[in-house]
């Protein structure tokens, strides 16, 4: 008889409303950790008082906060964040609306298993204002990208993308809400497939087995 594989351990990092985190929580609860292939073991943030942390607490998960301003240098913050995440021994770390660029120490520990979701079709419109920038540019389609994090800003190998049409009447918030509907489904699908199937990164290509 084939042995069932242990569910992969996920740490999710958030900075805001946490609806992507909620989509992961709901899917794990509805599907079961074994069938989904992963369980969320902790949620971390770079700030207090956000709905993302409240969602984790309501789900009974441990949380931690690692704020840049509590550390002397950015490198010290990065090392502290890496240590806080490492304490939960994750297989994968998911940045779900985590609005910070991690540094060398974090990537030394979690490079190749740190997944981010970005609200634009990379390599177009990287950075903190992907939705606003696509709208201002006059693009007719945009979307979301789930990718591995490397040492650039939204430059790591792409795992999956979802396309969203831009409507004439869109403002940033309406467009972002429609992107997030696609993004939540994409993130849940990608994280589950990475966890269940395993993957390898070949240069810029991600091959899910
Ligand atoms: C997502 O669109 C993510 O790509 C962006 O911020 C949003 C986070 O949404 N960086 P939420 O906190 O998961 O609701």
């Amino acid at each position: 008889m084939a042995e069932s594989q242990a569910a992969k351990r996920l740490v999710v990092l958030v900075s805001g409303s946490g609806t992507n985190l909620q989509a992961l929580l709901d899917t794990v609860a509805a599907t079961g950790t074994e069938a989904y292939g992963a369980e969320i073991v902790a949620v971390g943030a770079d700030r207090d008082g956000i709905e993302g942390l409240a969602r984790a607490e309501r789900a009974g998960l441990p949380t931690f906060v690692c704020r840049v301003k509590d550390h002397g240098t950015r490198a010290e913050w990065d090392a502290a964040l890496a240590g806080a995440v490492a304490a939960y021994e994750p297989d994968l770390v998911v940045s779900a609306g985590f609005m910070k660029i991690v540094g060398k120490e974090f990537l030394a520990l979690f490079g190749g298993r740190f997944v981010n979701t970005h609200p634009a079709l990379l390599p177009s419109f990287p950075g903190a204002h992907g939705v606003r920038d696509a709208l201002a540019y006059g693009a007719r389609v945009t979307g979301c990208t789930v990718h591995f994090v490397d040492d650039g800003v939204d430059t790591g190998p792409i795992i999956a993308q979802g396309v969203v049409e831009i409507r004439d009447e869109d403002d940033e918030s309406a467009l972002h809400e429609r992107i997030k509907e696609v993004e939540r489904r994409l993130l849940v699908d990608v994280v589950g497939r990475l966890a269940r199937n395993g993957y390898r990164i070949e240069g810029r290509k991600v091959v899910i087995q």
Side-chain angles (χ1 to χ4, degrees), residues 7-180:
K8 297 288 186 291
R9 296 170 63 82
L10 306 181
V11 169
V12 181
L13 301 178
V14 295
S15 297
S17 64
T19 65
N20 281 280
L21 164 67
Q22 190 69 53
L24 287 163
L25 288 168
D26 291 348
T27 303
V28 174
T31 318
T33 52
E34 201 174 321
Y36 183 62
E39 62 175 328
I40 300 173
V41 294
V43 173
D46 62 333
R47 61 198 78 185
D48 303 295
I50 54 170
E51 183 58 19
L53 287 173
R55 289 176 193 275
E57 280 154 19
R58 287 198 292 272
L61 290 172
T63 62
F64 58 90
V65 175
C66 191
R67 301 187 305 179
V68 172
K69 64 178 177 195
D70 295 333
H71 299 274
T73 64
R74 187 81 183 196
E76 282 168 20
W77 168 79
D78 180 59
L81 179 70
V85 172
Y88 292 97
E89 301 182 342
D91 298 297
L92 284 172
V93 184
V94 180
S95 156
F98 184 63
M99 301 303 284
K100 286 281 181 300
I101 305 291
V102 298
K104 276 199 177 89
E105 194 133 346
F106 192 95
L107 288 175
L109 281 180
F110 300 111
R113 52 199 182 106
F114 184 31
V115 175
N116 180 48
T117 175
H118 179 75
L121 292 174
L122 295 172
S124 293
F125 312 119
H129 303 293
V131 180
R132 186 187 308 173
D133 293 347
L135 206 51
Y137 194 86
R140 300 312 313 188
V141 293
T142 184
C144 48
T145 302
V146 178
H147 65 98
F148 284 108
V149 178
D150 67 5
D151 59 1
V153 176
D154 300 323
T155 52
I158 290 172
I159 310 167
Q161 295 183 297
V163 176
V164 174
E165 269 189 52
I166 297 181
R167 298 178 185 157
D168 291 339
E169 66 274 20
D170 269 338
D171 60 13
E172 184 180 354
S173 133
L175 178 57
H176 200 172
E177 276 313 309
R178 286 209 319 290
I179 291 172
K180 282 172 66 167

